[in-house]
Amino acid sequence: EAQVTQNPRYLITVTGKKLTVTCSQNMNHEYMSWYRQDPGLGLRQIYYSMNVEVTDKGDVPEGYKVSRKEKRNFPLILESPSPNQTSLYFCASSWRNPYNEQFFGPGTRLTVL
Amino acid sequence: KNQVEQSPQSLIILEGKNCTLQCNYTVSPFSNLRWYKQDTGRGPVSLTIMTFSENTKSNGRYTATLDADTKQSSLHITASQLSDSASYICVVRDNAGNMLTFGGGTRLMVKP
């Protein structure tokens, strides 16, 4: 089944403790992206990647890192999480660029205490 | 700055009724507009895409319209069902780059 998977789905952590949210897609998509969704603010793009070893900042990249060493994986790294990073995170992928339909993962709900 | 505004923010309708959701954008130059449906606790799923030359497009009970002159789009839902309860998100892409601008969404609740 074609899909985007994220892990973990739920995470509660404390300020400053480094964490990684994994994202994997099995559709051989070149484009991958991370979003956060907050009430009243909608989806905001954190980082995106056009292909392996190519990443770019989105609208709200501060406090986040990403890497794209393999085509299928696009992990999101929070080196020192803070409470304002408490949010619902979505990974998405598509062919070539976001003109094509993006397929979203199931979401990761992160709480930073 | 590119912006996408959706209205209403939330809407409650009775099962079987029709409704229309609005999306106004300031994205320029315009490339395309996509409507997504997001069920609670899940990722968004694409309903339809509208390009500059398209005025109307249907996907089952969903009909999207686009007026590129006034920079407005609407999503009309006919004969609503309980399963239509979700958030509907309008996303606009410009021709200048690879970033998308997301609307805040309309939260629709269909009641029996």
Side-chain angles (χ1 to χ4, degrees):
Chain A
E1 181 190 354
Q3 60 182 348
V4 178
T5 57
Q6 295 177 228
N7 282 292
R9 294 290 314 279
Y10 302 92
L11 179 61
I12 300 175
T13 189
V14 295
T15 298
K17 187 176 180 182
K18 180 180 178 179
L19 66 92
T20 299
V21 184
T22 65
C23 172
S24 182
Q25 50 93 6
N26 62 1
M27 295 169 278
N28 203 34
H29 287 162
E30 294 94 346
Y31 181 93
M32 297 186 75
S33 181
W34 274 103
Y35 299 90
R36 61 178 290 174
Q37 187 174 38
D38 302 289
L41 295 176
L43 281 157
R44 293 179 292 169
Q45 191 176 45
I46 303 170
Y47 269 95
Y48 64 95
S49 169
M50 296 294 288
N51 215 323
V52 176
E53 301 293 356
V54 180
T55 62
D56 280 294
K57 296 177 181 179
D59 289 320
V60 288
E62 294 77 21
Y64 304 94
K65 285 174 57 177
V66 293
S67 69
R68 188 91 182 272
K69 295 191 173 81
E70 306 165 281
K71 198 171 191 178
R72 64 183 293 128
N73 297 323
F74 191 45
L76 179 69
I77 303 156
L78 284 72
E79 294 272 4
S80 182
S82 62
N84 64 12
Q85 292 178 298
T86 293
S87 187
L88 179 59
Y89 291 86
F90 288 101
C91 179
S93 72
S94 71
W95 291 109
R96 298 187 185 282
N97 61 52
Y99 180 87
N100 297 299
E101 175 185 356
Q102 289 196 69
F103 293 86
F104 286 81
T108 295
R109 186 166 292 280
L110 172 66
T111 301
V112 183
L113 301 175
Chain B
K1 182 182 176 182
N2 290 336
Q3 287 188 311
V4 176
E5 300 286 341
Q6 292 187 243
S7 61
Q9 281 192 329
S10 62
L11 182 61
I12 301 174
I13 62 173
L14 292 176
E15 187 178 13
K17 297 296 185 183
N18 304 335
C19 67
T20 300
L21 314 180
Q22 299 290 343
C23 173
N24 297 338
Y25 61 92
T26 62
V27 177
S28 183
F30 173 83
S31 174
N32 63 79
L33 181 151
R34 194 181 285 274
W35 284 94
Y36 283 87
K37 178 187 179 188
Q38 184 178 19
D39 293 315
T40 300
R42 307 191 69 149
V45 175
S46 177
L47 290 174
T48 188
I49 183 171
M50 304 294 289
T51 58
F52 187 86
S53 59
E54 296 173 309
N55 297 119
T56 303
K57 184 181 286 185
S58 292
N59 177 6
R61 294 180 297 102
Y62 299 101
T63 299
T65 66
L66 175 67
D67 185 334
D69 292 330
T70 62
K71 299 188 177 182
Q72 296 179 323
S73 177
S74 66
L75 181 69
H76 185 76
I77 304 175
T78 305
S80 61
Q81 301 176 356
L82 298 180
S83 60
D84 292 330
S85 294
S87 289
Y88 292 83
I89 303 170
C90 174
V91 185
V92 182
R93 181 178 184 264
D94 66 19
N95 256 334
N98 294 310
M99 289 178 65
L100 303 169
T101 305
F102 286 76
T106 293
R107 191 171 191 85
L108 173 66
M109 183 178 297
V110 180
K111 290 194 167 183

